């Protein structure tokens, strides 16, 4: 039985094609991106690749060049819209066996497939034993206007030395953007050190940031290198910086001004050269007005601001992320889930995703587990469309405070339920209760 790999991010079309080819007695697998296709070609025996020209993490030309560079003897047929015929011609020049225009006529495609196999094309991979599986990307940037604007800003600020403040709701991908800025910067060969400020107890923050000497305080059983020294020459990322206590803010400001740290229990200052990227899901200007965040520190960390769009503002990217997370789920769970049924993808596209990318990833992971190797159906998603009627957090402080109080009243003071209604996590809700002094 011949093995065919479909590389296509349109899940509905991929499932239809996979089903039809399976009925024609082919063994068919489907992936939605270039990285997943490379992994499959390395790890599995594939006799033919059907590849779309436009994919979320590249295009068919990229895959074709990768195949050529590694002497992978697998014929490739590209699938493309009429408008992209010149690209298909380019693919043919690079060695693609054939191309077919969309919408695909199944009988025409079958004829082209049979022509490849009847021609006696030698198939199978010739990859060195030492060839490693390509590192899977853990994020997808997207193709929407909001995504293009976001990553335009990332590319503009990355080569500079400016400190960056990333402002966005929980689950929107702030840490990925911070890493991307580092990767595109002149410091990319140096360390990237991430610290979750919301997870550090107040009494240990100075030790985490600046390090300590053994025996300098109770529990200091060995020397510790602080994050600033560890990140020397590179980038330090302070996630949820609004959670830092006022005392630690004073210490942080001093380090940023003087570029020197003094580990606890020592008398010697250590010079450090770091670029600071900070992130928050809070309104720091409101925190300044409330007296819980220093204005001078705010201006120090905010030389350039990047606002993260909510997932619901990136409509064009929602199906791409769903397929991307399904590829991840298939790898992690070792489940060959072929894709989403059309009504499931429609539900995904209609939902507002208050938890953003983090919520979608968890939803798709759970659905892939429940699907047990079959296409994902609506009931596998477990999406409650009533969440669309929930109270959404806004950036206006007065409106935000009012909505939090209203949610708590509707939930009889239950903070977990109120957080779910507001579309935020419980930690964020507690921070906002503190910020707005809500009892």
């Amino acid at each position: 039985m011949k093995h065919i790999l479909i590389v296509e991010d349109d899940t509905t079309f991929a499932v239809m094609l996979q089903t039809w080819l399976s009925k024609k007695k082919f063994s068919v697998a489907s992936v939605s991106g270039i990285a997943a296709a490379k992994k499959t070609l390395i790890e599995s025996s594939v006799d033919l690749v059907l590849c779309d020209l436009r994919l979320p993490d590249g295009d068919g030309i990229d895959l074709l060049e990768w195949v050529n560079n590694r002497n992978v003897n697998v014929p490739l047929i590209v699938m493309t819209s009429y408008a992209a015929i010149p690209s298909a011609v380019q693919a043919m020049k690079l060695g693609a066996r054939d191309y077919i225009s969309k919408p695909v006529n199944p009988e025409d495609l079958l004829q082209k497939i049979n022509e490849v196999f009847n021609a006696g094309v030698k198939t199978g991979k010739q990859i060195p034993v030492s060839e490693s599986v390509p590192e899977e990307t853990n994020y997808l940037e997207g193709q929407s206007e909001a995504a293009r604007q976001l990553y335009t800003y990332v590319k503009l600020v990355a080569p500079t030395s400016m400190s960056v403040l990333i402002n966005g709701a929980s689950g929107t991908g702030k840490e990925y953007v911070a890493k991307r800025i580092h990767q595109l910067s002149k410091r990319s060969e140096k360390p990237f050190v991430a610290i979750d400020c919301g997870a550090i107890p107040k009494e240990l923050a100075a030790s985490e940031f600046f390090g300590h000497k053994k025996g300098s305080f109770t529990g200091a059983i060995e020397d510790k290198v602080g994050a600033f020294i560890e990140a020397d020459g590179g980038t330090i990322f302070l996630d949820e910086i609004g959670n830092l206590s006022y005392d630690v803010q004073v210490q942080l400001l001093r380090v940023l001004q003087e570029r020197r740290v003094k580990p606890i229990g020592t008398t010697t200052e250590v010079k450090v050269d770091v670029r600071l990227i900070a992130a928050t899901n809070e309104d720091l200007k409101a925190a300044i007005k409330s007296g819980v965040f220093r204005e001078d520190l705010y201006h120090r960390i905010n030389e350039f601001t990047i606002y993260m769009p909510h997932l619901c503002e990136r409509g064009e990217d929602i199906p791409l992320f769903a397929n991307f997370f399904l590829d991840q789920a298939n790898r992690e769970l070792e489940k060959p889930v072929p894709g989403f049924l059309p009504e499931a993808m429609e539900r995904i596209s209609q939902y507002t995703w208050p938890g953003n990318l983090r919520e979608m990833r968890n939803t798709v992971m759970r659905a892939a587990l429940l699907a047990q190797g079959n296409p994902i159906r609506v009931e596998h998603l477990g999406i409650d469309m009533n969440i669309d009627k929930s109270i959404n957090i806004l950036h206006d402080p007065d409106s935000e405070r009012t909505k939090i109080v209203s949610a708590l009243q509707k939930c009889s003071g239950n903070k977990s339920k109120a957080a779910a209604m507001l579309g935020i996590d419980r930690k964020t809700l507690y921070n906002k209760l503190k910020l707005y002094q809500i009892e």
Side-chain angles (χ1 to χ4, degrees), residues 2-49:
K2 295 293 186 181
H3 297 273
I4 297 176
L5 174 65
I6 299 170
V7 189
E8 170 64 67
D9 63 318
D10 182 339
T11 308
T12 302
F13 173 66
V15 170
M16 180 202 74
L17 199 58
Q18 186 171 4
T19 302
W20 188 79
L21 288 172
S22 297
K23 291 179 179 179
K24 299 298 180 182
K25 308 303 181 183
F26 293 109
S27 172
V28 188
S30 176
V31 296
S32 62
I34 298 296
K38 292 177 181 178
K39 181 180 176 69
T40 302
L41 286 170
I42 287 175
E43 297 182 345
S44 307
S45 176
V46 176
D47 297 302
L48 174 67
V49 177

Side-chain angles (χ1 to χ4, degrees), residues 183-202:
Q183 292 167 354
L184 295 174
S185 75
K186 299 173 183 177
R187 299 172 178 264
S188 59
E189 300 300 318
K190 298 295 183 178
F192 174 88
V193 179
I195 299 290
D196 182 356
C197 299
I200 305 174
K202 175 182 176 181

Side-chain angles (χ1 to χ4, degrees), residues 131-200:
E131 176 79 26
S132 59
V133 176
E135 181 180 352
E136 299 293 341
T137 178
N138 62 358
Y139 198 82
L140 175 71
E141 293 187 354
Q143 300 174 351
S144 65
E145 180 58 34
R148 285 194 289 269
Q149 185 179 58
L150 169 63
Y151 289 101
T152 295
Y153 291 154
V154 167
K155 291 170 186 175
L156 281 173
V157 77
T160 74
S161 60
M162 299 171 75
S163 62
V164 180
L165 177 63
I166 304 172
N167 199 313
S170 295
T172 50
K174 295 189 290 293
E175 184 167 351
Y176 172 79
V177 167
K179 288 180 179 177
R180 192 65 185 137
I181 292 171
H182 172 72
Q183 292 167 354
L184 295 174
S185 75
K186 299 173 183 177
R187 299 172 178 264
S188 59
E189 300 300 318
K190 298 295 183 178
F192 174 88
V193 179
I195 299 290
D196 182 356
C197 299
I200 305 174

Side-chain angles (χ1 to χ4, degrees), residues 388-408:
D388 286 342
K389 301 175 184 178
S390 67
I391 301 171
N392 293 314
I393 287 291
L394 301 177
H395 291 296
D396 176 47
D398 293 331
S399 176
E400 186 171 74
R401 189 184 195 285
T402 301
K403 290 180 182 295
I404 291 172
V405 172
S406 175
L408 287 168

